[in-house]
Amino acid sequence: MVRLDTVINSWKTVREDSAQAVEDSSAHELDYKPSADQMTFGEIARHILEAGHILSGVLLDGVESMATPEFRDMRQMYVAQLPKTDGAGALARELRSEIESRTAQLSARSTEFYAGEITRFDGQRVTRLEMLQFIKEHELTHRQQLFVYLRLKGIVPPTTRRRMAKAKT
């Protein structure tokens, strides 16, 4: 059985690592991308912010189906709620602020709310708790992209630094 508080706390940890990765890159590194056909570091970080906000907002608003033509337009409504994030510092602050706000709202919902089923954008039927887990896993994937970019620039990602620090004690 997956518990709500476990999913939320895990997502907060993933988000903190994403925000720390953004801080670990210098301001000019937000434009870094390993090849021309990939997203920049900053675009990935902004995508993490926007996707988490959109998908959790849709979840909180009780949308029953994301598999509709209107979903694309709906996403823009949620993105418009986010401030601009010029520079690494502003982006890292907003990543942290947004997760605190959203997880407080998500934590206030009932067990019955999370047991309810919705249709994901790919047509799959899932419970709202499963959708929340999906949102976290989506972010985890993109956090790993940030970590690869950091490593390509010779920067040790936050999770590895923590593990190395623990090994020294």
Side-chain angles (χ1 to χ4, degrees), residues 2 4-5 7-8 56 59-60 102-118 126-133:
V2 177
L4 175 63
D5 60 331
V7 175
I8 286 177
S56 62
L59 195 64
L60 286 164
R102 274 299 197 228
T103 56
Q105 294 169 328
L106 290 162
S107 293
R109 294 301 176 113
S110 69
T111 303
E112 293 78 23
F113 173 80
Y114 285 103
E117 286 192 0
I118 62 169
V126 296
T127 67
R128 286 188 181 98
L129 184 57
E130 290 166 337
M131 184 63 196
L132 184 58
Q133 178 76 16

Side-chain angles (χ1 to χ4, degrees), residues 55 120-121 130-139:
L55 295 173
R120 237 172 34 186
F121 43 83
E130 290 166 337
M131 184 63 196
L132 184 58
Q133 178 76 16
F134 172 86
I135 295 167
K136 183 203 68 160
E137 290 170 357
H138 174 261
E139 181 164 335

Side-chain angles (χ1 to χ4, degrees), residues 5 8 18 22 27 41 50 60 76-77 117 124 142 164:
D5 60 331
I8 286 177
S18 297
V22 170
F41 186 94
E50 290 178 0
L60 286 164
Q76 293 311 310
M77 176 185 72
E117 286 192 0
Q124 185 174 348
H142 290 300
M164 291 168 60

Side-chain angles (χ1 to χ4, degrees), residues 20 33 35 62 65 89 98 127 129 134 137 146 164:
Q20 186 60 55
K33 58 183 175 179
S35 66
S65 179
E98 175 62 20
T127 67
L129 184 57
F134 172 86
E137 290 170 357
L146 296 178
M164 291 168 60

Side-chain angles (χ1 to χ4, degrees), residues 47-65:
H47 174 72
I48 288 170
L49 176 64
E50 290 178 0
H53 183 74
I54 292 165
L55 295 173
S56 62
V58 167
L59 195 64
L60 286 164
D61 286 347
V63 172
E64 294 290 324
S65 179

Side-chain angles (χ1 to χ4, degrees), residues 16-21 24 147 150 156-163:
E16 176 54 33
D17 292 340
S18 297
Q20 186 60 55
D24 289 348
F147 285 9
L150 287 177
V156 177
T159 54
T160 304
R161 286 198 312 268
R162 280 197 305 271
R163 193 171 52 253

